[in-house]
Amino acid sequence: MKKQNFEIKNEIIDKAFDELKVKRPDAFKERLNFSWSNWGFGQEPLEESVKRLKKYGVDYIELHGNHYGPDLGYNIGETKKILSDNGMKVSGVCGMFSADNDMASNRNIQRQAALDYIRREVDFTAEMGGHYLLVVPAAVGRPEAYDDAEIIRSVEALRIVADRFEKTGVKAAIEPIRAAEVSIIHTFAEAKEYIKTVNRPGVGHINGDLYHMLTGEDHIPQTIVDAGDMLTNLHAADTNRCALGAGFLDLDRIIKALYLIGYNREGCFFTPEPLGPGGDPYPAMHGIPDGKRMDLLVEDTVRYFREREALLSA
């Protein structure tokens, strides 16, 4: 029987991975850097979140970008102490872009809010030793476009603050998000074109998200391979946007693709962000989480991922 198209692409990934294991066994010496995006823990104190992650073997955290104003968000000194006391490192910061701070908005006050927000978060990321700031070109939770000039406005806005990334060494990681949640930049191809149009040295990386890639890409592992060095962070959740292993995501081939691009190196992270299904995930940041449920979510995800990674790398 003739193979389906995705099966043919799977075979290409499998063959390349098997060849890598034979030709370069040293490529598997280091494991993938496993992080966790903490904004899904809602209003839980940071120290509780950090202790949970360490308990289950997570060494990196992607911090909630919660500096929505000069008087808001994580205090630098307190945050550094919590991280240091618990042996936790920062992978990056998850930039949060709503209608209030929207680079693509047709209201200049909202675009200005986005620029001020980015400046605060880039500086905070650098202070925390983070590698990237996730940047969304338009508001999450606003899938309807204002007009056909959104990309033009977004590009112009990001250019204004692009030098901040270059000066601090923080990577601007553009995240493509599914069309049900944002109005522009839904695929890796569109993110690459957006980055090319911005055309600034500090803006050159992609933050992937497996949940969004399920609808935006025709083959997730091949998309990862094609992204190569541009990919610096990969958000992860299963097909139901829950813990890894709870759905039918082909995690093995995703791991294979990551090793094929040498993703097990400094500055590249695999970061679970299981938020549950729904059109607008942002309300999760305001809730009071169930600690036991969060424990199980982290434990199940870490165990399943490391299990699959170990089997493939053996």
Side-chain angles (χ1 to χ4, degrees), residues 94-253:
C94 187
M96 313 297 284
F97 294 85
S98 68
D100 294 328
N101 61 334
D102 183 353
M103 290 194 294
S105 177
N106 58 4
R107 295 185 61 206
N108 289 332
I109 192 169
Q110 293 174 340
R111 296 176 70 216
Q112 183 63 56
L115 300 181
D116 294 341
Y117 172 75
I118 289 172
R119 291 186 181 105
R120 287 191 295 269
E121 291 302 352
V122 171
D123 292 348
F124 175 72
T125 305
E127 282 281 355
M128 293 298 108
H131 295 261
Y132 64 86
L133 171 66
L134 186 158
V135 176
V136 185
V140 177
R142 182 183 63 78
E144 302 84 12
Y146 289 124
D147 51 41
D148 59 2
E150 287 199 347
I151 289 181
I152 294 173
R153 290 194 296 269
S154 181
V155 165
E156 287 178 347
L158 190 52
R159 281 176 177 167
I160 293 171
V161 292
D163 65 329
R164 200 68 156 243
F165 290 97
E166 189 177 1
K167 288 176 182 177
T168 59
V170 173
K171 302 171 187 173
I174 308 302
E175 181 174 20
I177 294 178
R178 63 184 183 141
E181 294 183 36
V182 299
S183 57
I184 57 172
I185 315 302
H186 307 125
T187 67
F188 271 49
E190 291 172 354
K192 290 175 183 178
E193 187 61 30
Y194 178 86
I195 289 168
K196 182 179 178 182
T197 305
V198 173
N199 192 27
R200 292 293 187 273
V203 182
H205 291 84
I206 292 175
N207 185 102
D209 188 304
L210 295 177
Y211 186 72
H212 299 307
M213 294 170 77
L214 286 166
T215 56
E217 311 299 339
D218 57 11
H219 192 267
I220 292 176
Q222 189 59 54
T223 298
I224 290 171
V225 170
D226 292 342
D229 290 344
M230 292 185 77
L231 184 66
T232 192
N233 187 53
L234 184 62
H235 280 166
D238 217 306
T239 50
N240 50 11
R241 217 172 193 176
C242 294
L244 292 178
F248 52 89
L249 186 74
D250 188 356
L251 182 59
D252 283 9
R253 287 192 175 88

